[in-house]
Amino acid sequence: MPQQHQYQAHGGWTSHRRAQAQAEAQARFERDWRDAQAAETQRQQQLAAYQREYTQWAEGQLAEVRRHNAGVAAAIDGVRRREPDAVVEYFSAALYASKAWPDGFPRQISAAYDSAAHQLVLDWELPRYDVVPETKSVRYVASLDQDKETARPVTQRRGLYREVLAQCALLVLHELFAADEFVVLDSVVLNGFVDEPDPATGRRGEIFLTTVMASRSTFGELHLAQVEAVSCLTDALRGQLASRPDQLVAVRPVRRPLDVGNRVVSHGSDEEPDLFEMDPIRFESLVAELFRAMGMQAVTTQRSNDGGVDVDALDPTPIRGGKIVVQVKRYRGTVPPTAVRDLYGTVQDAGANKGVLVTTSGFGPGSHAFANGKPLELISGPELVDLLHRNGLSGRLGERGRASTPAPQPSDDAYRLPDDYNVLGMSWDGDAALDVCALVCRGDQVLSDDHFVFFNNHRTPDDSVHMLPASPPDKAGLRVSFDSLPDAADRLVLVAAIDPELNPDADLSGFTGAEIRLLDPTMTELGRLDVSDGRPRETALVLGSFRRRPNGDWDFVLGGKGYEGGLEQLVRDYGIDVE
């Protein structure tokens, strides 16, 4: 701040002039004092604003740190509990954080975790053939003032490339097992691929050059510093390595992530567009582009008067080719069977050879049953993404690869009928009294006693499976909402058993001509499923099971296993204790 002693009056030979000079000095002091006070007030206000801004920023940073730490803790807990998503994210991060993996090598992964087998299954991108230089050496020729290159022999270059691929596979396995401090991996299936045009078709896609399934115990016995990489991979670990990787001679993967049945997590394609967020017209154009990449002629139709057709395609292949009508459904829930029936009508009206329904979600068993035997092809969301990648295009399903939301869980005393469900109507020849039951299972184990639906338990806790009174011509009925089945469930098992009270001496020898009618909510028949006949002395029979495919759809698999010990013996096989 200004100081009074710095403002001394100067000059003035007379008393009047000295007084005037003193007044001027005092005025300068007071003016500067006011200016300094205003500047200080402004400085204090700015400082306070900066302090508030800093406090807000610091609190935001601390909150972000806390969220991050909570996320890490939750992820670690998920890994300890062997939750598939958490396990895949953890080991994906381990591979991306690897300091041993060369910086110039690709880092792209698709993975899934089989929690029952404690097995991680992953597709990992490998370096291409040009990682091995074509030039073996360079020598300067002074007389010509030129560099003379010596080409590397093809066999040597191929051998070095196979060595690189084998070393890459061993390094990935080493990084995964080394990161497994929670001991959640009993084995790893690694499929190494390169992103190259297929020599046979010219279409760009994943070409697998190596595949191996390594157990923790076997891999732990290796002394990697002493091994020869190719021999270790192919002999000690019994893996496969392409004999001519330079010519993209592919191997068949042992197991793919899509085969596991859980959601597949992919990384390395952050720039891929989210199909759910894409403009509808752009989405249809992408589907048309996919058909063109597959060697067909394809154009999008006009937005009005398109007759239910989004893309017109023409397959020029002789005999099996022809006109194809394509409908595009960007759904988050299961596509209703009515959409498939509408497509079939469009195929007939247009005189097309085939109809294709492309969606971002999936299809229920009613849709598959209706499409069976008809010139229809159903492409679900995961299959669409796979086709896009195989044909050099890009796309993903939501931020984490799965955009569907879980079905609401009704309370025990107020069930809400699901919007999309199927009715399973059972009929058979003969007059034997049978109990038709259902088990909601993961593998061959029922989720709980409450997920066994029979005459004493008419519905599951979430009402996804509910027994119905029989409606002619059916002798038994079930209502099933496949979308509402628990995420942990991968099959719905249907069984039939003799009622021992009504038929104490009967068996299933007269159980013939049995079939399941698949109906939609309007009781329109979508298809019929045949089941096995019964056999003498057997009193319980597995009719078949609906099984969840890797893409989320459900298929029916015929049963046939019979039990002489009746329903009690059968349910024990599925993990239910009978007192």
Side-chain angles (χ1 to χ4, degrees), residues 1-9 21-38:
M1 298 295 289
Q3 301 296 320
Q4 181 76 51
H5 65 83
Q6 296 172 339
Y7 293 81
Q8 297 297 326
Q22 290 174 352
E24 291 173 352
Q26 182 66 26
R28 288 196 305 272
F29 169 72
E30 292 175 354
R31 183 192 64 221
D32 291 349
W33 176 267
R34 287 193 300 271
D35 291 346
Q37 277 190 321

Side-chain angles (χ1 to χ4, degrees), residues 22 109 249 340 355:
Q22 290 174 352
I109 184 175
V249 177
V340 183

